[in-house]
Amino acid sequence: MSNSKNDNTKTSFWDKLKDSPSTDEFMKGIWKDNPVFVQVLGMCPVLAVTNTAENALAMGLATAFVLLMSNVLVSVLRNFIPKQVRIASYILIIASFVTITDYVIQAISIDLHKSLGAFISLIVVNCLILSRAEAFASKNTIGKSVLDALGMGVGFVFALLCLGGVRELLGNGTLFSYSVFPEGFQEWIIMILPAGGFFTLAIWLIFFNFRNQRKATV
Amino acid sequence: MLNKTLNINTSPHIKMGISTDVIMRNVVWAMLPIAAFAVYSFGWSALLVMLTTTGACVLTEHLLCKYSKKESTISDWSAIITGLLLGLTLPPAFPLWMAFVGGVLAIALGKYAFGGLGSNVFNPALIGRVVLQAAFPVAITTWTPAMLTDRFTSIASSTFTFPFMTPKVDGLTGATPLSAFKFDNIGTASQDLALGMTSGSLGETCSVLILLGGAYLVFRNMMNWRIPASILLTVFVFSGLFYLMDSTLYPSPMFMLFSGGLMLGAVFMASDMVASPITPIGVWVYGFAIGALVVVIRLWGGQPEGVMYAILLGNALSPQIDKLIRPRVYGTTKVSKK
Amino acid sequence: MSRETQQQNNSNSTKMLVAMVGIGVICALLIVFTFEQTLPVIAKNKAEALEKAIFKVVPNASSFKAFQWSDKKFIEVDKSTEGELLYAGYNSENAFAGLAIQAAGQGYADVIRILYGYDVKSQKVVGFYVLETKETPGLGDKIEKEEHFLANFEGLDVSLNDNSTIKNEIETVKQGTKENAWEIDGITGATISSRAIGDILKESTTYWMPIIQGNKNIFRLEE
């Protein structure tokens, strides 16, 4: 029904969605301002826990969850927090949600918790989350902050999956633990070692910069 | 246009008449006997490995120059040296597809990521080798013995492994003198070591030919003799001290000198003109650091061989060494600090 | 004027204090709530992981009890107790099936933690499971996967002499040269890791075997 109504006014639902500022708020995190490939924020988990696609997905979701919840709370309390203690307050809020995430992951799977290790606790110092709290949530309404956090969160998950996928594929011959290559595939051990994280990230950054440069020159 | 990487050095500014490609060509001449001996002792597969790495390096160099819209630099022989050196550090029956990957990475990561010839911080061949070591640790430590009778009639089955597949190992593998010592405490006769009658990487076995090649370059004034001299001396003195302390636990200094990749590394790799310090004192410091690291890694490290890592760490140190040890500017006196 | 600034400062401090305490309280409540909700699930997960490992190393076990060595005797303790524990496995007929013992030692990359099964009657190591390892993937982690290596632990001799010391200490030998029941057939390409396992087992068995054989009656169920 809504579709026909839109057709009457000669603007489809998608056109409207495309032009609305909220879409922009959401989409910028995924592509234009991607936290990893464009802003190069939060490198510690990006390099350390992307050795398999599963770890990358879990880490991405955990970070996105903390980002979303802390953005909401910071935005709600933005008029209540005095500016002298704002960073301390943000850290307190972020740390609480990280602790909560830590418990939840332990409850979901001990193995997953083991493979992510100390990097769950280290979400506290992920500058992506603090920068969104400081630069966005503390100045915008809850609705906008939620959209911003969702966009950045999805962008972060996407970036981590890009790394984790490539590394697991070459380093282990699997994707989400499913064999992709025929029997006898030679694993590139380096890809699941820390060095492989740096190489893969560099290659993705080259790809993104190359694209952006091209766009700029066209 | 001047760019920021312009290097301003102290005098003298007088240049020698020989250019980069002349030096490079002579380095290749010096390495050819080693390569020939590798083919003689390990057979056709050795030749294929070296051809593959050299081809991969030259091809990568050419393509990267083309895409960055620069004049192709393949004619200056430096890519050929990198490829040949990389080939000499690989085991004889190494799968060709892995050798190709190594060659591509050596040039792309070791040379062009830093800005091409003259700007590389590390020896490119070693970068290729170290990536291969980390990526395919099993294949790169599978050694076929030297002087097999069928080395010219058949080629090891692992050489032609289909790309991205695990190589199949024939029954015949041998331990290198270093790993035999490290893991099983078995020594090897010095005579075999010097003449290259042992298993190991293609170019590391025959120490005599390596020394001859090095002597030729030093004689033509194309290599800094202090680099190999300081490394070999440090290793000899250092390991000699430990050998004197406990000869049952530590290998003899002669064994340390002639086994593994030390000779090849000291003569042809550590002496990379771009990645080593320029002042004579700096070179001694550099050689001492590499030699000490070789001994430390070999004696207490997890792996039997450490020349590769030692040289790379030395390369990383050399800009700092150059910064700390500066020659006195001509015409000035030393400034005394109060 | 100075009084005014001071007042403003005072009100600012109060505001800050209220804000920080307020946020602190909200956060604390959130954490406590999650903790309460997840605690039973986490405890269950941990117990299941331990149970799985124990049943893997003690053949035929279907239930287990935890024991602690203190004051020169074994006492039964709660299964979730922290510290160095021994686990006694029992089969479906409630008969004593064997012990599961934790051990740890330096590997190639980091400390390796293992659990091994011990059959008290035949005096043999009968099972092996790696609890925690950071060994190089593809090389050192063969200690968890390589079949010929794991086959070592189907009956590794650790029997005692009359004077309560181990007859033959466990030793890792080169792959394919295992001759005696107390030797571990090593892995080519994972020499250091496979030797580390041998050393961990040697150290742990020389310590525990005399103690266990001297106090073995406590593990039997009183019927």
Side-chain angles (χ1 to χ4, degrees), chain B residues 174-202:
Chain B
T176 63
L178 274 173
S179 62
F181 185 85
K182 178 138 203 156
F183 297 127
D184 303 305
N185 219 349
I186 300 169
T188 311
S190 318
Q191 193 190 345
D192 287 351
L193 284 173
L195 295 176
M197 299 296 149
T198 60
S199 59
S201 300
L202 295 179

PDB file of all heavy atoms in Angstrom, chain B residues 174-202:
ATOM      1  N   GLY B 174      66.996 -34.900   4.250  1.00  0.00           N
ATOM      2  CA  GLY B 174      68.103 -34.932   5.183  1.00  0.00           C
ATOM      3  C   GLY B 174      68.064 -33.737   6.091  1.00  0.00           C
ATOM      4  O   GLY B 174      67.419 -32.738   5.783  1.00  0.00           O
ATOM      5  N   ALA B 175      68.736 -33.830   7.226  1.00  0.00           N
ATOM      6  CA  ALA B 175      68.790 -32.686   8.128  1.00  0.00           C
ATOM      7  C   ALA B 175      69.994 -31.836   7.760  1.00  0.00           C
ATOM      8  O   ALA B 175      71.001 -32.356   7.304  1.00  0.00           O
ATOM      9  CB  ALA B 175      68.888 -33.157   9.568  1.00  0.00           C
ATOM     10  N   THR B 176      69.899 -30.529   7.928  1.00  0.00           N
ATOM     11  CA  THR B 176      71.056 -29.678   7.708  1.00  0.00           C
ATOM     12  C   THR B 176      72.025 -29.887   8.859  1.00  0.00           C
ATOM     13  O   THR B 176      71.621 -30.327   9.936  1.00  0.00           O
ATOM     14  CB  THR B 176      70.667 -28.199   7.657  1.00  0.00           C
ATOM     15  OG1 THR B 176      70.123 -27.848   8.931  1.00  0.00           O
ATOM     16  CG2 THR B 176      69.646 -27.927   6.587  1.00  0.00           C
ATOM     17  N   PRO B 177      73.304 -29.562   8.636  1.00  0.00           N
ATOM     18  CA  PRO B 177      74.273 -29.723   9.729  1.00  0.00           C
ATOM     19  C   PRO B 177      73.831 -29.000  10.998  1.00  0.00           C
ATOM     20  O   PRO B 177      74.000 -29.512  12.109  1.00  0.00           O
ATOM     21  CB  PRO B 177      75.540 -29.098   9.162  1.00  0.00           C
ATOM     22  CG  PRO B 177      75.405 -29.206   7.700  1.00  0.00           C
ATOM     23  CD  PRO B 177      73.940 -29.112   7.403  1.00  0.00           C
ATOM     24  N   LEU B 178      73.224 -27.812  10.844  1.00  0.00           N
ATOM     25  CA  LEU B 178      72.831 -27.040  12.023  1.00  0.00           C
ATOM     26  C   LEU B 178      71.701 -27.704  12.779  1.00  0.00           C
ATOM     27  O   LEU B 178      71.718 -27.783  14.006  1.00  0.00           O
ATOM     28  CB  LEU B 178      72.408 -25.631  11.611  1.00  0.00           C
ATOM     29  CG  LEU B 178      73.529 -24.608  11.493  1.00  0.00           C
ATOM     30  CD1 LEU B 178      72.991 -23.323  10.921  1.00  0.00           C
ATOM     31  CD2 LEU B 178      74.162 -24.363  12.845  1.00  0.00           C
ATOM     32  N   SER B 179      70.662 -28.192  12.050  1.00  0.00           N
ATOM     33  CA  SER B 179      69.549 -28.795  12.775  1.00  0.00           C
ATOM     34  C   SER B 179      69.965 -30.138  13.349  1.00  0.00           C
ATOM     35  O   SER B 179      69.506 -30.539  14.417  1.00  0.00           O
ATOM     36  CB  SER B 179      68.306 -28.912  11.893  1.00  0.00           C
ATOM     37  OG  SER B 179      68.555 -29.740  10.806  1.00  0.00           O
ATOM     38  N   ALA B 180      70.880 -30.842  12.647  1.00  0.00           N
ATOM     39  CA  ALA B 180      71.372 -32.094  13.199  1.00  0.00           C
ATOM     40  C   ALA B 180      72.082 -31.839  14.523  1.00  0.00           C
ATOM     41  O   ALA B 180      71.931 -32.595  15.478  1.00  0.00           O
ATOM     42  CB  ALA B 180      72.335 -32.766  12.221  1.00  0.00           C
ATOM     43  N   PHE B 181      72.816 -30.733  14.580  1.00  0.00           N
ATOM     44  CA  PHE B 181      73.514 -30.426  15.821  1.00  0.00           C
ATOM     45  C   PHE B 181      72.546 -29.996  16.905  1.00  0.00           C
ATOM     46  O   PHE B 181      72.598 -30.446  18.034  1.00  0.00           O
ATOM     47  CB  PHE B 181      74.564 -29.332  15.588  1.00  0.00           C
ATOM     48  CG  PHE B 181      75.389 -29.065  16.821  1.00  0.00           C
ATOM     49  CD1 PHE B 181      76.495 -29.842  17.088  1.00  0.00           C
ATOM     50  CD2 PHE B 181      75.013 -28.077  17.723  1.00  0.00           C
ATOM     51  CE1 PHE B 181      77.230 -29.633  18.233  1.00  0.00           C
ATOM     52  CE2 PHE B 181      75.752 -27.865  18.877  1.00  0.00           C
ATOM     53  CZ  PHE B 181      76.869 -28.652  19.124  1.00  0.00           C
ATOM     54  N   LYS B 182      71.601 -29.126  16.514  1.00  0.00           N
ATOM     55  CA  LYS B 182      70.705 -28.537  17.509  1.00  0.00           C
ATOM     56  C   LYS B 182      69.791 -29.586  18.137  1.00  0.00           C
ATOM     57  O   LYS B 182      69.587 -29.621  19.336  1.00  0.00           O
ATOM     58  CB  LYS B 182      69.859 -27.444  16.853  1.00  0.00           C
ATOM     59  CG  LYS B 182      68.869 -26.820  17.811  1.00  0.00           C
ATOM     60  CD  LYS B 182      68.837 -25.338  17.632  1.00  0.00           C
ATOM     61  CE  LYS B 182      68.321 -24.669  18.872  1.00  0.00           C
ATOM     62  NZ  LYS B 182      68.775 -23.319  18.972  1.00  0.00           N
ATOM     63  N   PHE B 183      69.194 -30.417  17.275  1.00  0.00           N
ATOM     64  CA  PHE B 183      68.176 -31.318  17.804  1.00  0.00           C
ATOM     65  C   PHE B 183      68.733 -32.683  18.198  1.00  0.00           C
ATOM     66  O   PHE B 183      68.185 -33.355  19.042  1.00  0.00           O
ATOM     67  CB  PHE B 183      67.047 -31.481  16.787  1.00  0.00           C
ATOM     68  CG  PHE B 183      66.333 -30.191  16.529  1.00  0.00           C
ATOM     69  CD1 PHE B 183      66.171 -29.705  15.247  1.00  0.00           C
ATOM     70  CD2 PHE B 183      65.817 -29.456  17.590  1.00  0.00           C
ATOM     71  CE1 PHE B 183      65.517 -28.512  15.026  1.00  0.00           C
ATOM     72  CE2 PHE B 183      65.167 -28.266  17.374  1.00  0.00           C
ATOM     73  CZ  PHE B 183      65.021 -27.787  16.086  1.00  0.00           C
ATOM     74  N   ASP B 184      69.808 -33.120  17.549  1.00  0.00           N
ATOM     75  CA  ASP B 184      70.282 -34.465  17.840  1.00  0.00           C
ATOM     76  C   ASP B 184      71.733 -34.509  18.268  1.00  0.00           C
ATOM     77  O   ASP B 184      72.274 -35.586  18.488  1.00  0.00           O
ATOM     78  CB  ASP B 184      70.083 -35.354  16.616  1.00  0.00           C
ATOM     79  CG  ASP B 184      68.631 -35.357  16.191  1.00  0.00           C
ATOM     80  OD1 ASP B 184      67.796 -35.679  17.041  1.00  0.00           O
ATOM     81  OD2 ASP B 184      68.349 -35.003  15.042  1.00  0.00           O
ATOM     82  N   ASN B 185      72.363 -33.305  18.355  1.00  0.00           N
ATOM     83  CA  ASN B 185      73.736 -33.232  18.811  1.00  0.00           C
ATOM     84  C   ASN B 185      74.701 -34.054  17.958  1.00  0.00           C
ATOM     85  O   ASN B 185      75.587 -34.716  18.468  1.00  0.00           O
ATOM     86  CB  ASN B 185      73.823 -33.665  20.278  1.00  0.00           C
ATOM     87  CG  ASN B 185      74.800 -32.795  21.026  1.00  0.00           C
ATOM     88  OD1 ASN B 185      75.544 -32.032  20.408  1.00  0.00           O
ATOM     89  ND2 ASN B 185      74.822 -32.900  22.340  1.00  0.00           N
ATOM     90  N   ILE B 186      74.478 -34.028  16.639  1.00  0.00           N
ATOM     91  CA  ILE B 186      75.373 -34.732  15.734  1.00  0.00           C
ATOM     92  C   ILE B 186      76.221 -33.711  14.988  1.00  0.00           C
ATOM     93  O   ILE B 186      75.685 -32.771  14.403  1.00  0.00           O
ATOM     94  CB  ILE B 186      74.581 -35.571  14.707  1.00  0.00           C
ATOM     95  CG1 ILE B 186      73.733 -36.606  15.441  1.00  0.00           C
ATOM     96  CG2 ILE B 186      75.521 -36.241  13.702  1.00  0.00           C
ATOM     97  CD1 ILE B 186      72.728 -37.292  14.565  1.00  0.00           C
ATOM     98  N   GLY B 187      77.492 -33.855  15.020  1.00  0.00           N
ATOM     99  CA  GLY B 187      78.365 -32.920  14.328  1.00  0.00           C
ATOM    100  C   GLY B 187      78.579 -33.335  12.874  1.00  0.00           C
ATOM    101  O   GLY B 187      78.202 -34.429  12.454  1.00  0.00           O
ATOM    102  N   THR B 188      79.151 -32.432  12.071  1.00  0.00           N
ATOM    103  CA  THR B 188      79.450 -32.743  10.671  1.00  0.00           C
ATOM    104  C   THR B 188      80.913 -32.403  10.422  1.00  0.00           C
ATOM    105  O   THR B 188      81.425 -31.420  10.955  1.00  0.00           O
ATOM    106  CB  THR B 188      78.560 -31.894   9.741  1.00  0.00           C
ATOM    107  OG1 THR B 188      77.217 -31.998  10.186  1.00  0.00           O
ATOM    108  CG2 THR B 188      78.664 -32.359   8.316  1.00  0.00           C
ATOM    109  N   ALA B 189      81.570 -33.204   9.577  1.00  0.00           N
ATOM    110  CA  ALA B 189      82.994 -32.983   9.325  1.00  0.00           C
ATOM    111  C   ALA B 189      83.221 -31.634   8.648  1.00  0.00           C
ATOM    112  O   ALA B 189      82.494 -31.264   7.732  1.00  0.00           O
ATOM    113  CB  ALA B 189      83.535 -34.100   8.443  1.00  0.00           C
ATOM    114  N   SER B 190      84.259 -30.898   9.109  1.00  0.00           N
ATOM    115  CA  SER B 190      84.511 -29.546   8.589  1.00  0.00           C
ATOM    116  C   SER B 190      84.803 -29.564   7.097  1.00  0.00           C
ATOM    117  O   SER B 190      84.432 -28.657   6.366  1.00  0.00           O
ATOM    118  CB  SER B 190      85.714 -28.923   9.301  1.00  0.00           C
ATOM    119  OG  SER B 190      85.656 -29.193  10.661  1.00  0.00           O
ATOM    120  N   GLN B 191      85.451 -30.648   6.643  1.00  0.00           N
ATOM    121  CA  GLN B 191      85.804 -30.745   5.235  1.00  0.00           C
ATOM    122  C   GLN B 191      84.550 -30.763   4.371  1.00  0.00           C
ATOM    123  O   GLN B 191      84.443 -30.064   3.371  1.00  0.00           O
ATOM    124  CB  GLN B 191      86.616 -32.022   5.040  1.00  0.00           C
ATOM    125  CG  GLN B 191      87.300 -32.102   3.709  1.00  0.00           C
ATOM    126  CD  GLN B 191      87.876 -33.489   3.513  1.00  0.00           C
ATOM    127  OE1 GLN B 191      88.002 -34.261   4.464  1.00  0.00           O
ATOM    128  NE2 GLN B 191      88.209 -33.810   2.292  1.00  0.00           N
ATOM    129  N   ASP B 192      83.543 -31.558   4.793  1.00  0.00           N
ATOM    130  CA  ASP B 192      82.278 -31.611   4.066  1.00  0.00           C
ATOM    131  C   ASP B 192      81.605 -30.254   4.058  1.00  0.00           C
ATOM    132  O   ASP B 192      81.007 -29.840   3.065  1.00  0.00           O
ATOM    133  CB  ASP B 192      81.328 -32.632   4.711  1.00  0.00           C
ATOM    134  CG  ASP B 192      81.775 -34.047   4.425  1.00  0.00           C
ATOM    135  OD1 ASP B 192      82.701 -34.203   3.604  1.00  0.00           O
ATOM    136  OD2 ASP B 192      81.209 -34.980   5.022  1.00  0.00           O
ATOM    137  N   LEU B 193      81.721 -29.571   5.188  1.00  0.00           N
ATOM    138  CA  LEU B 193      81.076 -28.267   5.300  1.00  0.00           C
ATOM    139  C   LEU B 193      81.689 -27.266   4.325  1.00  0.00           C
ATOM    140  O   LEU B 193      80.998 -26.572   3.602  1.00  0.00           O
ATOM    141  CB  LEU B 193      81.214 -27.732   6.723  1.00  0.00           C
ATOM    142  CG  LEU B 193      80.301 -28.356   7.767  1.00  0.00           C
ATOM    143  CD1 LEU B 193      80.677 -27.848   9.140  1.00  0.00           C
ATOM    144  CD2 LEU B 193      78.856 -28.051   7.470  1.00  0.00           C
ATOM    145  N   ALA B 194      83.007 -27.241   4.296  1.00  0.00           N
ATOM    146  CA  ALA B 194      83.687 -26.247   3.464  1.00  0.00           C
ATOM    147  C   ALA B 194      83.439 -26.508   1.985  1.00  0.00           C
ATOM    148  O   ALA B 194      83.291 -25.593   1.196  1.00  0.00           O
ATOM    149  CB  ALA B 194      85.179 -26.245   3.771  1.00  0.00           C
ATOM    150  N   LEU B 195      83.390 -27.778   1.603  1.00  0.00           N
ATOM    151  CA  LEU B 195      83.259 -28.100   0.188  1.00  0.00           C
ATOM    152  C   LEU B 195      81.813 -28.271  -0.255  1.00  0.00           C
ATOM    153  O   LEU B 195      81.553 -28.464  -1.435  1.00  0.00           O
ATOM    154  CB  LEU B 195      84.060 -29.364  -0.138  1.00  0.00           C
ATOM    155  CG  LEU B 195      85.566 -29.202   0.041  1.00  0.00           C
ATOM    156  CD1 LEU B 195      86.283 -30.523  -0.205  1.00  0.00           C
ATOM    157  CD2 LEU B 195      86.108 -28.126  -0.893  1.00  0.00           C
ATOM    158  N   GLY B 196      80.871 -28.203   0.680  1.00  0.00           N
ATOM    159  CA  GLY B 196      79.476 -28.234   0.277  1.00  0.00           C
ATOM    160  C   GLY B 196      78.934 -29.619   0.028  1.00  0.00           C
ATOM    161  O   GLY B 196      78.123 -29.835  -0.863  1.00  0.00           O
ATOM    162  N   MET B 197      79.376 -30.613   0.803  1.00  0.00           N
ATOM    163  CA  MET B 197      78.890 -31.976   0.618  1.00  0.00           C
ATOM    164  C   MET B 197      77.713 -32.273   1.565  1.00  0.00           C
ATOM    165  O   MET B 197      77.437 -33.399   1.899  1.00  0.00           O
ATOM    166  CB  MET B 197      80.017 -32.987   0.904  1.00  0.00           C
ATOM    167  CG  MET B 197      81.192 -32.828  -0.023  1.00  0.00           C
ATOM    168  SD  MET B 197      80.724 -33.189  -1.713  1.00  0.00           S
ATOM    169  CE  MET B 197      81.804 -32.108  -2.610  1.00  0.00           C
ATOM    170  N   THR B 198      77.063 -31.217   2.047  1.00  0.00           N
ATOM    171  CA  THR B 198      75.986 -31.424   3.010  1.00  0.00           C
ATOM    172  C   THR B 198      74.661 -30.967   2.404  1.00  0.00           C
ATOM    173  O   THR B 198      74.641 -30.372   1.340  1.00  0.00           O
ATOM    174  CB  THR B 198      76.236 -30.574   4.269  1.00  0.00           C
ATOM    175  OG1 THR B 198      76.273 -29.208   3.862  1.00  0.00           O
ATOM    176  CG2 THR B 198      77.533 -30.944   4.929  1.00  0.00           C
ATOM    177  N   SER B 199      73.573 -31.260   3.095  1.00  0.00           N
ATOM    178  CA  SER B 199      72.300 -30.736   2.610  1.00  0.00           C
ATOM    179  C   SER B 199      72.073 -29.353   3.198  1.00  0.00           C
ATOM    180  O   SER B 199      72.637 -28.995   4.229  1.00  0.00           O
ATOM    181  CB  SER B 199      71.151 -31.675   2.964  1.00  0.00           C
ATOM    182  OG  SER B 199      71.069 -31.848   4.342  1.00  0.00           O
ATOM    183  N   GLY B 200      71.240 -28.591   2.518  1.00  0.00           N
ATOM    184  CA  GLY B 200      71.010 -27.220   2.960  1.00  0.00           C
ATOM    185  C   GLY B 200      70.412 -26.432   1.823  1.00  0.00           C
ATOM    186  O   GLY B 200      70.015 -26.992   0.802  1.00  0.00           O
ATOM    187  N   SER B 201      70.344 -25.109   1.989  1.00  0.00           N
ATOM    188  CA  SER B 201      69.844 -24.270   0.904  1.00  0.00           C
ATOM    189  C   SER B 201      70.814 -24.332  -0.268  1.00  0.00           C
ATOM    190  O   SER B 201      71.984 -24.678  -0.095  1.00  0.00           O
ATOM    191  CB  SER B 201      69.709 -22.826   1.378  1.00  0.00           C
ATOM    192  OG  SER B 201      68.811 -22.768   2.443  1.00  0.00           O
ATOM    193  N   LEU B 202      70.322 -23.954  -1.455  1.00  0.00           N
ATOM    194  CA  LEU B 202      71.111 -24.108  -2.672  1.00  0.00           C
ATOM    195  C   LEU B 202      72.505 -23.519  -2.563  1.00  0.00           C
ATOM    196  O   LEU B 202      73.494 -24.173  -2.873  1.00  0.00           O
ATOM    197  CB  LEU B 202      70.386 -23.431  -3.842  1.00  0.00           C
ATOM    198  CG  LEU B 202      69.060 -24.053  -4.239  1.00  0.00           C
ATOM    199  CD1 LEU B 202      68.455 -23.276  -5.385  1.00  0.00           C
ATOM    200  CD2 LEU B 202      69.272 -25.498  -4.612  1.00  0.00           C
TER     201      LEU B 202
END
